Amino acid sequence: MSVTKSARSPQVATPLNLDLPESAKKLQSQDPSPANGSSSESSKKTKGITGFQTLVHLVKGNMGTGILGLPLAVKNAGILMGPLSLLVMGLIACHCMHILVRCAQRFCHRRVVSFFLIVTQLGFCCVYIVFLADNLKQVVEAVNSTTISCHKNETVVLTPTMDSRLYMLSFLPVLGLLVFVRNLRVLTIFSLLANISMLVSLVIIAQYIIQEIPDASQLPLVASWKTYPLFFGTAIFSFESIGVVLPLENKMKDARGFPTILSLGMSIITTLYIAIGALGYLRFGDDIKASITLNLPNCWLYQSVKLLYVVGILCTYALQFYVPAEIIIPLAVSQVSKRWALPVDLSIRLALVCLTCMLAILIPRLDLVLSLVGSVSSSALALIIPPLLEVVTYYGEGISPLTVTKDALISILGFMGFVVGTYQALDELIKSGNSPALSNSTMFIQ
C-alpha cells in the first residue's frame, strides 16, 4: 500500500478524490479554467453541493438492488439474528466510512482503494444486469395473465419465453449508449429519474408487506451457521454507498458538516434496511425470493413496481459505472495521442460494459451474485481497508492500543466474512450449476 503525504498545509483538511485521478479531472472539465486561484476557489464553492443534496445522494447510493435482497438475507440469518446483525453491520460500516474520510484528509491511499473501488462498482453493475433480466423476464412471462385486480385467489402459470441470459444480452445496447454519457452533470438527470422510480417502488412494496403479517412463531430466531455467510455477503453488499463517500465529501460546499450528514444518512439507511429485511421475511417466510419484487402478486400495480425498479436500476447502472470508468480510462488515454483519445475512451467503456454482461451471464443467480460481490469486494472496501488505513495514518502520532485493537477486530471480521462468504457463495454456485437459468423463476400466487 503506497502512502503519499498531502502537499497541502497540515492545518487544512484536504479531502481525497479517489474516483478522479488527475488525468480524469482534466478530461472531465468542460468549463474554461479560472484565471487565478481565487476565482478557482470561488467557482468550486459556487458549484459545490449543499448538505441536503449530499444527504439525498448518500441515501440514494444505498438504494440499489441490495435492499431488495435483504429479506432473503434475514432468512439466512434468522428473524432475530438478521435484524441485530444488520444493526451491528450498519454501525460498523458507518464508523469505517468516518475513518475513511478522516484518513483521506491526511494522506492519499490510492492504489489499493482504487482497485477495490473498480471491483466493487463493476460488481454492482453485474448484479444490476442480473436484476434487470430477472424482473423483466417475469413481467413478460406473466403479461398474458396479469390482471387489474390484486385480490383474486388463483395460481398464475407463467408463459415460458427466452432464457434469462438472452434478456441480459438484450440490455447490452441500451447500457452501451448510457455509459457513453461522460458528463456527470448530464448523469444527474438519470439519477433524479432513478430516485423517483425507486422511491415509488419502495412505497408500494412497503404498503403490500404490512397489509398481512403472518404468525412469526414458526420462523427460526437464529438460522443455520452454514447459511449465515450468505447473509453477511448480501448484507455488506447492500451498503453500496462506500464508493461514493469520498466524492460526496469532496463536492460539498462546506465539508465540515459531512460527518454529521454521514451519520444521519447511515441511520436512515440502516433503519430502512432492518424494516424491509425483517418485514419482508415475516411476510413471505421460506418462500422469499432472491429479490422481494419476485414475490409480489401478479396484478399491474405490483408489476409496475418491477418495471419502475427496472427503469431505476437501468439509470443507476450509468452512475455506478462512472467511478471505475474515471479511474481506468484516463490511465489508458494518457498513453495515446490526442486524436485517439476519444476512440480509446469509448472503446474501453464499451468493453467494460460487455465484461459486466459476460460475468452476469456466467453467474445468473441473483442471490449468489449479491453474496459473492459483497464478500469479495464490498467487505474489503467497507470493513478491511478503512481500519488498516487508520493504523497506518496515525501510527506515527501515537495511536492508542485500544484503537489498534478495535481496528484489528474490525479488519479480522471483514476478512473472515470475505473468506467464508466467498467460499459459501462459490460452493452454492457449483451446486446450482446444472440449472442456473431457472434458479430465480417464480410462480405467482395472488
Side-chain angles (χ1 to χ4, degrees):
M1 183 184 304
S2 63
V3 180
T4 307
K5 202 167 204 176
S6 173
R8 297 190 183 182
S9 171
Q11 284 79 16
V12 180
T14 307
L16 173 61
N17 193 351
L18 286 176
D19 62 328
L20 295 179
E22 293 300 323
S23 52
K25 297 175 187 175
K26 296 177 182 178
L27 288 176
Q28 181 188 357
S29 177
Q30 302 293 329
D31 301 321
S33 300
N36 52 59
S38 176
S39 58
S40 176
E41 291 297 325
S42 175
S43 175
K44 180 179 179 181
K45 184 174 181 179
T46 302
K47 295 180 180 179
I49 58 178
T50 65
F52 177 75
Q53 290 172 326
T54 303
L55 178 63
V56 171
H57 284 304
L58 182 65
V59 175
K60 168 60 188 70
N62 287 274
M63 292 297 104
T65 57
I67 188 173
L68 301 179
L70 287 178
L72 180 60
V74 172
K75 174 188 173 183
N76 288 327
I79 191 60
L80 176 62
M81 181 62 73
L84 288 178
S85 298
L86 280 174
L87 176 60
V88 173
M89 196 169 292
L91 293 173
I92 295 176
C94 181
H95 177 65
C96 289
M97 290 177 186
H98 280 287
I99 292 175
L100 199 59
V101 172
R102 288 200 308 269
C103 293
Q105 292 173 345
R106 300 292 298 275
F107 295 99
C108 298
H109 304 269
R110 294 178 181 268
R111 186 179 305 169
V112 175
V113 177
S114 294
F115 170 77
F116 280 106
L117 270 175
I118 293 171
V119 174
T120 302
Q121 300 303 109
L122 292 181
F124 290 159
C125 292
C126 293
V127 174
Y128 289 170
I129 293 176
V130 178
F131 177 89
L132 290 170
D134 281 351
N135 283 270
L136 183 60
K137 183 175 189 290
Q138 195 176 75
V139 171
V140 172
E141 292 183 347
V143 68
N144 290 332
S145 53
T146 302
T147 62
I148 297 177
S149 174
C150 299
H151 303 290
K152 293 182 180 179
N153 294 318
E154 62 182 55
T155 301
V156 178
V157 179
L158 302 180
T159 303
T161 59
M162 59 185 180
D163 190 281
S164 62
R165 289 166 287 195
L166 294 178
Y167 278 92
M168 296 180 196
L169 287 175
S170 68
F171 281 106
L172 193 56
V174 180
L175 296 174
L177 292 176
L178 283 175
V179 300
F180 283 165
V181 179
R182 299 180 295 157
N183 192 316
L184 193 57
R185 294 181 184 177
V186 177
L187 288 177
T188 303
I189 301 173
F190 295 100
S191 179
L192 178 61
L193 180 60
N195 278 329
I196 295 173
S197 61
M198 289 183 184
L199 177 61
V200 174
S201 298
L202 289 176
V203 170
I204 297 176
I205 292 173
Q207 67 85 26
Y208 176 74
I209 290 175
I210 62 177
Q211 285 181 12
E212 182 182 348
I213 301 293
D215 182 15
S217 60
Q218 302 299 321
L219 300 178
L221 296 179
V222 180
S224 170
W225 64 270
K226 293 182 180 180
T227 59
Y228 190 82
L230 292 177
F231 161 83
F232 178 87
T234 303
I236 196 63
F237 174 90
S238 63
F239 291 98
E240 301 179 26
S241 65
I242 186 68
V244 300
V245 167
L246 293 177
L248 286 178
E249 195 255 1
N250 274 337
K251 295 180 184 299
M252 279 192 69
K253 291 181 180 178
D254 185 2
R256 291 174 296 180
F258 185 76
T260 302
I261 294 173
L262 178 57
S263 297
L264 176 60
M266 291 303 296
S267 298
I268 295 172
I269 290 161
T270 303
T271 302
L272 185 60
Y273 281 2
I274 293 174
I276 294 294
L279 292 176
Y281 180 41
L282 284 173
R283 176 68 175 83
F284 298 110
D286 291 337
D287 294 328
I288 189 67
K289 304 299 178 182
S291 170
I292 195 172
T293 56
L294 302 178
N295 286 93
L296 297 177
N298 187 39
C299 63
W300 282 115
L301 173 63
Y302 297 113
Q303 291 292 67
S304 68
V305 170
K306 301 169 190 173
L307 295 176
L308 284 170
Y309 233 93
V310 164
V311 173
I313 294 299
L314 198 61
C315 296
T316 307
Y317 181 99
L319 299 173
Q320 296 286 10
F321 185 90
Y322 180 83
V323 174
E326 291 301 316
I327 296 175
I328 296 173
I329 292 175
L331 299 177
V333 169
S334 63
Q335 306 299 316
V336 300
S337 61
K338 189 174 181 180
R339 59 177 294 190
W340 288 101
L342 182 59
V344 170
D345 185 317
L346 299 181
S347 298
I348 293 177
R349 290 176 184 273
L350 186 58
L352 289 175
V353 172
C354 292
L355 175 63
T356 59
C357 188
M358 287 175 54
L359 292 175
I361 289 173
L362 291 174
I363 314 177
R365 279 275 307 266
L366 180 60
D367 55 337
L368 297 183
V369 175
L370 285 169
S371 182
L372 188 61
V373 174
S375 297
V376 173
S377 56
S378 295
S379 61
L381 192 60
L383 299 181
I384 300 176
I385 294 178
L388 295 179
L389 286 182
E390 184 174 40
V391 174
V392 171
T393 302
Y394 296 102
Y395 185 78
E397 301 178 12
I399 191 170
S400 69
L402 182 61
T403 302
V404 174
T405 303
K406 178 263 299 179
D407 289 338
L409 289 176
I410 295 176
S411 291
I412 291 172
L413 172 66
F415 183 75
M416 290 175 59
F418 162 75
V419 174
V420 179
T422 301
Y423 171 80
Q424 186 70 13
L426 290 175
D427 184 58
E428 292 290 332
L429 275 173
I430 294 173
K431 290 179 180 178
S432 63
N434 293 330
S435 57
L438 300 177
S439 58
N440 283 329
S441 61
T442 307
M443 185 71 72
F444 287 104
I445 305 293
Q446 295 193 83

